[in-house]
Amino acid sequence: MGILSRLRGRARQRGSVAGRPGTPVSDLTTRHLTEFASSRRGVEAWIEPPTAVTGASLLLVAADGEWTRRTIPSASWGHKFAEHLQMPGYDAGVVSYPQRMRDWNSRQKRG
């Protein structure tokens, strides 16, 4: 059993509410994050802590600035995910988002 399967299994056992710690991560979310990381160069992870409004989330940013974000059960899940895929993982409350992400957003708006 892989680490992601174990993480999903533990979350299911707790049976928590969506967006809260212990919420299971869907196979679709795990697959999306894994495929994004494996199909792009230089992907890094920013683990965003939960707030009063949203749960914890994982932001993946590629070398060209393309990015994706998904809700995750907890910050520790995000750090384990990044470690499992051998990518740098940063605490979004400590390390700011990269300029390349903002540049990519600007390019997308311009068309």
Side-chain angles (χ1 to χ4, degrees):
M1 177 184 291
I3 186 168
L4 298 178
S5 298
R6 286 194 302 270
L7 289 171
R8 280 194 304 270
R10 284 186 203 142
R12 283 190 189 109
Q13 291 170 357
R14 292 187 206 117
S16 299
V17 178
R20 303 291 167 98
T23 301
V25 174
S26 74
D27 291 337
L28 183 62
T29 296
T30 304
R31 192 174 331 118
H32 171 76
L33 292 169
T34 303
E35 287 175 5
F36 184 91
S38 63
S39 64
R40 287 154 180 88
R41 187 177 53 83
V43 177
E44 297 174 306
W46 273 260
I47 296 89
E48 301 169 322
T51 67
V53 179
T54 63
S57 57
L58 180 63
L59 174 74
L60 299 181
V61 182
D64 67 353
E66 183 181 2
W67 60 274
T68 189
R69 176 185 283 124
R70 294 294 185 269
T71 300
I72 56 174
S74 67
S76 65
W77 189 95
H79 285 288
K80 289 176 188 172
F81 180 84
E83 184 179 318
H84 174 71
L85 293 182
Q86 298 178 336
M87 72 174 75
Y90 309 110
D91 183 344
V94 177
V95 179
S96 62
Y97 300 120
Q99 182 62 44
R100 68 182 184 271
M101 180 180 154
R102 291 185 285 279
D103 295 341
W104 188 85
N105 286 338
S106 294
R107 288 192 305 272
Q108 297 308 305
K109 286 181 184 177
R110 281 186 256 139

